[in-house]
Amino acid sequence: MKRRELIKGLAAGSVVGLAACKGNRTAAGPAAPAAAARREWKMYTTWPKNFPGLGTGANRVAELITKMSGGRLTVTVYGAGERVPALEVFDAVAQGSAQMGHSGSYYWKGKAESSPFFCSIPFGLTAEEMNGWLYFGGGLELWRELYAGFNLVPFPAGNSGTQMGGWFRKEINSLADLRGLKMRIPGLGGEVLARLGVTTVNIPGGELFTALSSGTIDATEWVGPYNDLAFGLYKAAKFYYYPGWHEPGSTLECIVNKPAYEALEPDLQAIVAAACDAVTTTMQAEMTARNQAALQELVGKHGVKLLPFPAEVLQALMKTSEEVVAASAGKDTFTQRVYASYKAYRDTVIENSRIGTQAFLNARSAR
Ligand code: CA
């Protein structure tokens, strides 16, 4: 009994102590703490509203922030074109017309040469390797330094995993078959194909089906089976190539207007970061879980022809990718720093992946 009373007494004391710390006691008891400031944020995205994987990932960031903050910070998501076009998210958030955005950094190569390194570059890093560089290899610090110049704070917020090589209206049996094609492919991957005779363009995902089915483009990459099925790309092209050499593990970004972020209390800042971290995991999980079923539907139900790029094509893509990435790195001193960090990490992590994941996958696939 004595012990129970002691515990009861301690518990009561801790409550009183806590209330005393807050002050403003009245005769009726401790006053409620002052109402916390409530904020309503907008999130603009590059994806159609609720688009599988990418849009749903953006939704999860918003929902997590809203719930974890107990409604002190509520985030409303807008799909591409609802408030601003898909590829104007960066400028809109930088200027503060929305406090937050969800997109991919390689869309902003025209603004910052180094930006693709924070999303994906040809023959670069897988999702796991990319997370290692960003979180523990110095990548995120460099990304923050770059975006500070644009009035933005970036967070990794999702990863597509290794993408597919893309949809082609005709079969690709040699390098010669690539020449003269018009293909939608953003980032450095587009520059690689341009050197191999492809005319490359970048158009938002929501416009891909129309462009491909009307013949405005002959080929397009988008993401992977789950996302590509959702756009119905199989109705416009039948040849579906792998692997996604150009995007081995694309990090999606959540960008926050810098003054808006800095005005948050420290716990809300931590909540924003934690929500983005969570979605880095769950988006990749969603892609992994859904891609296989989508691929079966594409091949089994819609008659899609699934093909690997010929060895000759992949070898040329790799050699040209090295040239293009090195040329990009030479364009300005900041990109040189990013490239040096990325390359040093990639050179070492490749060996670890070779004897770890790669050796295991080879063993598991052996028949
Ligand atoms: Ca892509």
Side-chain angles (χ1 to χ4, degrees), residues 333-354:
T333 53
F334 188 79
T335 307
Q336 280 172 12
R337 281 178 58 207
V338 174
Y339 177 66
S341 169
Y342 187 98
K343 187 174 184 307
Y345 174 83
R346 182 179 178 276
D347 288 348
T348 54
V349 84
I350 271 181
E351 183 59 14
N352 192 52
S353 295
R354 189 181 68 77

Side-chain angles (χ1 to χ4, degrees), residues 106 163 184 221-223 246-247:
Y106 71 173
Q163 300 200 358
R184 181 271 183 190
E221 70 80 52
W222 175 228
V223 184
H246 60 301
E247 295 192 59

Side-chain angles (χ1 to χ4, degrees), residues 12-25 29-31:
S14 67
V15 171
V16 170
L18 186 64
C21 286
K22 288 180 179 168
N24 298 330
R25 285 176 63 81

Side-chain angles (χ1 to χ4, degrees), residues 10 17 31 34 62 67 75 118 140 149 154 166 171 180 222 227 237 255 287 367:
L10 282 173
K67 283 183 185 168
V75 182
F118 304 109
L140 187 52
E171 213 165 318
W222 175 228
N227 284 204
I255 49 177
M287 299 287 193
R367 289 285 188 274

Side-chain angles (χ1 to χ4, degrees), residues 37 39 41 256-266 268-269:
R39 295 180 174 83
W41 278 14
V256 183
N257 176 271
K258 199 162 182 285
Y261 179 74
E262 289 170 351
L264 294 179
E265 293 82 6
L268 290 181
Q269 289 183 345

